[in-house]
């Protein structure tokens, strides 16, 4: 695929994303959910290509955004882990 075809596909995708809300189909919530992961992915690519400062910044910002989006789920996982660890300690002391 040559460079003109790639540019054309990118322009088609951008135009589709702009036009979808106008016709009543919104994918904004999907983009809001995926954006932190896209940042982390771009940061990893930058890190692997030798640009460690830019890659690290993108990974850091994307990671903070992921924490912001999924803080409830992360806290639930931590709570379940603490309860499971507490139960294992209580069972271990009874034996």
């Amino acid at each position: 695929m040559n460079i003109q075809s790639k540019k054309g596909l990118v322009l088609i995708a951008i135009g589709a994303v702009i036009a979808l809300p106008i016709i009543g189909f919104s994918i904004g919530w999907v983009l809001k959910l995926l954006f932190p992961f896209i940042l982390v992915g771009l940061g990893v690519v930058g890190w692997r290509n030798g640009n460690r400062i830019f890659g690290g910044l993108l990974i850091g910002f994307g990671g903070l955004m992921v924490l912001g989006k999924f803080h409830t789920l992360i806290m639930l996982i931590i709570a379940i882990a603490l309860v499971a660890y507490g139960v294992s300690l209580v069972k271990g002391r009874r034996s």
Side-chain angles (χ1 to χ4, degrees), residues 54-65:
F54 186 67
L57 285 173
L58 285 178
I59 291 170
F61 286 137
L64 288 174
M65 290 174 74

Side-chain angles (χ1 to χ4, degrees), residues 39-40 42-62:
L39 281 181
V40 170
L42 288 174
V44 168
V45 169
W47 187 275
R48 287 186 181 171
N49 287 335
N51 196 348
R52 301 214 184 265
I53 294 173
F54 186 67
L57 285 173
L58 285 178
I59 291 170
F61 286 137

Side-chain angles (χ1 to χ4, degrees), residues 49-84:
N49 287 335
N51 196 348
R52 301 214 184 265
I53 294 173
F54 186 67
L57 285 173
L58 285 178
I59 291 170
F61 286 137
L64 288 174
M65 290 174 74
V66 167
L67 286 176
K69 297 276 185 200
F70 297 109
H71 70 278
T72 306
L73 179 64
I74 292 168
M75 291 304 291
L76 180 63
I77 291 169
I78 290 171
I80 291 170
L82 287 173
V83 168

